[in-house]
Amino acid sequence: MRRGRAPALLAAAAIASAAAGDARAGDCRLALALALDVSSSVDAREYRLQTEGLAAALLAPEVAEAFLADPAQPVRLLVYEWSGWHQQVVRQDWVTIAGLADLTAVASGLAAQGRSFEQYPTALGMGLLFGAQQLAQQPACAERKLDVAGDGTNNDGAAPDVVRREAPEVFQPITINGLVIGSDVRVLGRYYQEYVVQGPGAFVEVATDYADFERAMRRKLLRELGVMQMSEAGPPTAVRPAVR
């Protein structure tokens, strides 16, 4: 079901414009929002693998090292879940990652929480808008990136490309990367490449299933944190370097 233009778009753009007015780039090097799919296509086992996979990826030694690479310019992190038109919930509010204890606290907090929603469709466009609004609160960071994971295309509310087109002020300052999950990731990867990702060096990482989520998230985080990687065994990464 498609509902056309999202009513929150103008409000989102206003928030972004106001925040940008007093930005001081350099207070942090990166604001990173991680978006997890909890739509009805994700069953209980898959949800557990996704949550535990993210927690494990955050605590992987190479990922922790990348987060803490520049103590003078730390990374700020937010995690939220998304599904239907109105179903987006912050699971970890903005936190400055200043040490391993911060990453451990985030991972522990995610593991201790229950699922926010179970029976709603895939409103990917509105999930992106929510993340962009959250990133608008972090104008002092040199970069702002939205990392959205999902196992399906938009089937509720405004489509991702419509949302981005209708609120350019809130979306233009950010890079959106994707992590697609499932047996047909090449098809879904093309959808994300065409309608979801944007910005300098934007890319799509692939996980063949939820059991592969930790590996894919680890690679994705390293790339978003600016770490060059040697190739490793596993599914290929689909890349979308174009700026849009």
Side-chain angles (χ1 to χ4, degrees):
M1 178 173 62
R2 178 165 173 155
R3 301 183 186 176
R5 187 172 299 188
L9 296 181
L10 294 179
I15 291 171
S17 298
D22 57 357
R24 294 184 297 111
D27 288 3
C28 78
R29 75 178 190 270
L30 171 65
L32 179 61
L34 306 180
L36 302 178
D37 182 358
V38 294
S39 58
S40 58
S41 61
V42 181
D43 65 26
R45 173 182 172 275
E46 291 167 341
Y47 176 77
R48 177 180 56 81
L49 288 169
Q50 180 176 217
T51 304
E52 292 178 354
L54 173 57
L58 289 172
L59 295 177
E62 67 274 25
V63 174
E65 181 179 1
F67 266 104
L68 304 174
D70 186 356
Q73 291 188 314
V75 175
R76 289 185 57 76
L77 180 67
L78 175 135
V79 182
Y80 70 96
E81 294 180 348
W82 64 274
S83 56
W85 176 272
H86 297 293
Q87 284 71 47
Q88 305 94 27
V89 172
V90 171
R91 306 318 302 264
Q92 169 60 62
D93 208 349
W94 286 112
V95 58
T96 298
I97 306 300
L100 184 57
D102 297 310
L103 285 173
T104 301
V106 171
S108 298
L110 292 173
Q113 296 181 38
R115 180 170 179 162
S116 55
F117 305 105
E118 294 183 1
Q119 299 178 348
Y120 291 91
T122 305
L124 179 54
M126 298 308 294
L128 291 179
L129 177 58
F130 182 85
Q133 289 173 315
Q134 300 303 308
L135 283 162
Q137 302 171 12
Q138 306 295 313
C141 294
E143 293 185 281
R144 284 177 277 174
K145 295 181 181 179
L146 174 55
D147 174 335
V148 58
D151 68 358
T153 60
N154 188 86
N155 60 20
D156 184 38
D161 55 323
V162 173
V163 171
R164 290 194 291 110
R165 184 171 63 249
E166 294 297 328
E169 297 88 349
V170 77
F171 279 99
Q172 283 176 356
I174 70 174
T175 295
I176 302 174
N177 298 317
L179 195 166
V180 298
I181 312 151
S183 59
D184 199 7
V185 290
R186 294 190 183 278
V187 173
L188 186 57
R190 286 195 293 271
Y191 176 86
Y192 266 62
Q193 289 173 347
E194 184 65 27
Y195 300 111
V196 177
V197 303
Q198 68 164 36
F203 65 95
V204 179
E205 180 68 52
V206 299
T208 54
D209 54 27
Y210 279 91
D212 190 38
F213 186 86
E214 177 188 344
R215 180 205 63 84
M217 177 56 76
R218 181 164 31 88
R219 280 179 54 89
K220 192 164 189 287
L221 287 170
L222 287 172
R223 188 164 179 176
E224 286 164 334
L225 292 164
V227 177
M228 297 297 294
Q229 301 175 67
M230 300 295 290
S231 63
E232 66 175 58
T237 300
V239 179
R240 177 79 175 195
V243 178
R244 294 193 297 171

